[in-house]
Amino acid sequence: MKPRTRPPKMVGEWVELEFMARAARHGLTISKPYGDSAPFDFVVGRRTPLHRVQVRGTSIYTNARSYICRVTRGNPPVRYRRFDFDFLAVFAIPQEQWYIIPMAAIPRTRNAISLYPHIRHSRGRLEKYRDAWHLLVSMGNARRRRAP
């Protein structure tokens, strides 16, 4: 069964596994909080600064030729607050492309963001965060990766 035909909860779990695997490939240390009550999915880092990361997946393509990712939670949807997490990691499923977006870069007035992973040289405002895994590297992780 393809990811987009699965129930949303299963897709979310699969995307989280993809995030852990990709983060590990980048040499990052990943921790998962117990339970589902935290407004973030992972803590990335070994020493300070530790980064709280909310992980999302999207396969929703619009007429505006963009992929849409909600920045809300729950039903009815409630927008995440600025201090709920540090980074939003979005996986554009059909394109197999990750975005590592600082929470501060997400407009406060929007309930969703638009991404253009299928356009190689897109000038979209958030395109500079495509594959920006380096933003999650803390000083502790950087020192660790340089060690023999």
Side-chain angles (χ1 to χ4, degrees), residues 1-145:
M1 190 184 283
K2 292 182 181 179
R4 72 173 93 176
T5 61
R6 295 179 186 159
K9 179 86 171 154
M10 286 180 70
V11 173
E13 291 166 349
W14 173 77
V15 169
E16 286 183 6
L17 289 170
E18 289 284 330
F19 174 82
M20 287 191 293
R22 185 65 60 94
R25 263 188 251 147
H26 285 277
L28 299 170
T29 301
I30 310 114
S31 301
K32 176 91 171 129
Y34 174 76
D36 284 339
S37 57
F40 53 91
D41 295 313
F42 296 100
V43 175
V44 176
R46 182 169 296 153
R47 296 186 180 118
T48 57
L50 299 174
H51 304 296
R52 298 164 301 156
V53 180
Q54 172 63 35
V55 176
R56 292 293 178 132
T58 184
S59 57
I60 301 168
Y61 190 71
T62 69
N63 290 340
R65 297 181 22 200
S66 67
Y67 286 88
I68 301 298
C69 178
R70 291 183 315 114
V71 287
T72 60
R73 63 179 167 182
N75 194 9
V78 175
R79 190 177 189 306
Y80 285 106
R81 295 170 293 184
R82 213 83 28 232
F83 54 84
D84 283 344
F85 52 85
D86 305 309
F87 289 92
L88 178 66
V90 182
F91 189 48
I93 297 169
Q95 303 294 322
E96 296 186 6
Q97 194 77 95
W98 280 100
Y99 288 79
I100 308 299
I101 306 167
M103 184 59 171
I106 299 171
R108 293 181 188 191
T109 57
R110 299 266 175 97
N111 287 337
I113 56 173
S114 298
L115 304 171
Y116 303 87
H118 55 295
I119 301 173
R120 190 168 172 83
H121 298 292
S122 171
R123 293 186 184 165
R125 196 176 55 73
L126 298 174
E127 291 307 303
K128 62 185 168 191
Y129 300 113
R130 188 188 305 188
D131 275 328
W133 291 94
H134 65 277
L135 297 175
L136 294 176
V137 177
S138 66
M139 292 305 286
N141 280 329
R143 272 190 236 110
R144 174 75 174 163
R145 288 195 318 187

